[in-house]
């Protein structure tokens, strides 16, 4: 992760109580998109969304907090299946339940977490901030999943077309 969320005191003031909890720290034990842990992914989504919320006059604090908590679940989404519904439908609901164990959620924060899979799920977001998080989540997912692919391709390219030795 390249963004400097740790060096942003306003951002840190919004999320540091959450970041100090075991519930959030545990996300470091789960792979999210090939090369990123669920904690790295959640911090990226939270920080980018917070920046956009600030820029577009949204609630930056709620966006930062709900962004960090949007994937607060502890199973491998590639292998775990639910009878009640798809992973896309289930995990936002599980994340809300887990988030409510560590903090009080506002209606806005709950909507951000619940609707972040919009596109794969039907109910549309109620707030501007929820649209921000669902878009940033998709952007980060693609970026995180494709980075190793790009790296791999670069590596192959150099194998196929080795640099000519300068004489
Ligand atoms: Fe998610
Ligand atoms: Fe996510």
């Amino acid at each position: 992760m390249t963004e400097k969320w740790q060096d942003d005191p306003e951002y840190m003031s919004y999320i540091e109580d959450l970041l100090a909890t075991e519930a959030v720290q545990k996300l470091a034990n789960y792979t999210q998109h090939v090369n990123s842990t669920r904690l790295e992914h959640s911090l990226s989504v939270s920080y980018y969304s917070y920046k956009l919320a600030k820029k577009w006059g949204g609630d930056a604090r709620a966006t930062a907090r709900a962004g960090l908590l949007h994937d607060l679940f502890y199973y491998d989404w590639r292998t775990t299946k639910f009878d009640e519904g798809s992973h896309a439908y289930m995990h936002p609901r599980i994340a809300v339940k887990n988030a409510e164990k560590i903090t009080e959620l506002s209606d806005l924060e709950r909507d951000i977490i619940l609707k972040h899979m919009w596109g794969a799920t039907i109910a549309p977001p109620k707030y501007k901030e929820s649209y921000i998080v669902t878009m940033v989540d998709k952007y980060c997912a693609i970026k995180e999943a494709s980075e190793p692919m790009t790296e791999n391709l670069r590596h192959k390219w150099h194998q196929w077309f080795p640099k000519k030795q300068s004489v």
Side-chain angles (χ1 to χ4, degrees):
M1 201 163 62
T2 51
E3 52 282 11
K4 298 196 175 86
W5 55 272
Q6 302 99 323
D7 302 330
D8 186 327
E10 184 190 341
Y11 175 70
M12 286 304 290
S13 76
Y14 293 154
I15 57 125
E16 61 196 347
D17 63 312
L18 299 175
L19 205 51
T21 64
E22 206 199 323
V24 170
Q25 286 173 14
K26 266 199 301 192
L27 296 176
N29 302 333
Y30 298 86
T31 303
Q32 186 75 351
H33 300 116
V34 192
N35 228 14
S36 70
T37 70
R38 196 163 296 154
L39 180 57
E40 288 168 332
H41 165 75
S42 301
L43 280 162
S44 296
V45 171
S46 165
Y47 191 58
Y48 283 131
S49 301
Y50 148 85
K51 291 286 241 185
L52 287 176
K54 265 176 81 93
K55 199 170 162 178
W56 293 334
D59 186 331
R61 181 177 184 272
T63 307
R65 291 177 73 82
L68 184 59
L69 302 173
H70 81 282
D71 275 337
L72 199 68
F73 64 94
Y74 312 102
Y75 60 82
D76 184 342
W77 59 270
R78 293 167 196 83
T79 51
T80 304
K81 302 282 173 247
F82 296 97
D83 294 335
E84 301 95 312
S86 66
H87 165 67
Y89 177 82
M90 291 302 292
H91 83 272
R93 283 155 181 80
I94 295 170
V96 162
K97 277 204 188 108
N98 287 336
E100 280 170 336
K101 289 178 195 159
I102 57 169
T103 188
E104 208 172 299
L105 295 178
S106 64
D107 189 49
L108 168 58
E109 289 166 333
R110 190 173 298 109
D111 192 68
I112 291 175
I113 300 173
L114 268 183
K115 310 285 178 58
H116 84 265
M117 290 304 290
W118 181 61
T121 54
I122 295 160
K126 269 201 276 185
Y127 303 98
K128 168 171 67 181
E129 291 85 346
S130 311
Y131 279 102
I132 293 175
V133 172
T134 188
M135 294 307 170
V136 171
D137 183 44
K138 288 165 183 68
Y139 167 78
C140 287
I142 293 167
K143 196 162 169 281
E144 288 159 22
S146 63
E147 259 164 16
M149 225 150 66
T150 317
E151 197 45 50
N152 212 2
L153 202 67
R154 195 173 303 134
H155 183 71
K156 283 225 165 66
W157 183 267
H158 286 306
Q159 280 183 332
W160 294 331
F161 305 104
K163 278 198 185 121
K164 292 210 174 73
Q165 294 287 303
S166 52
V167 188

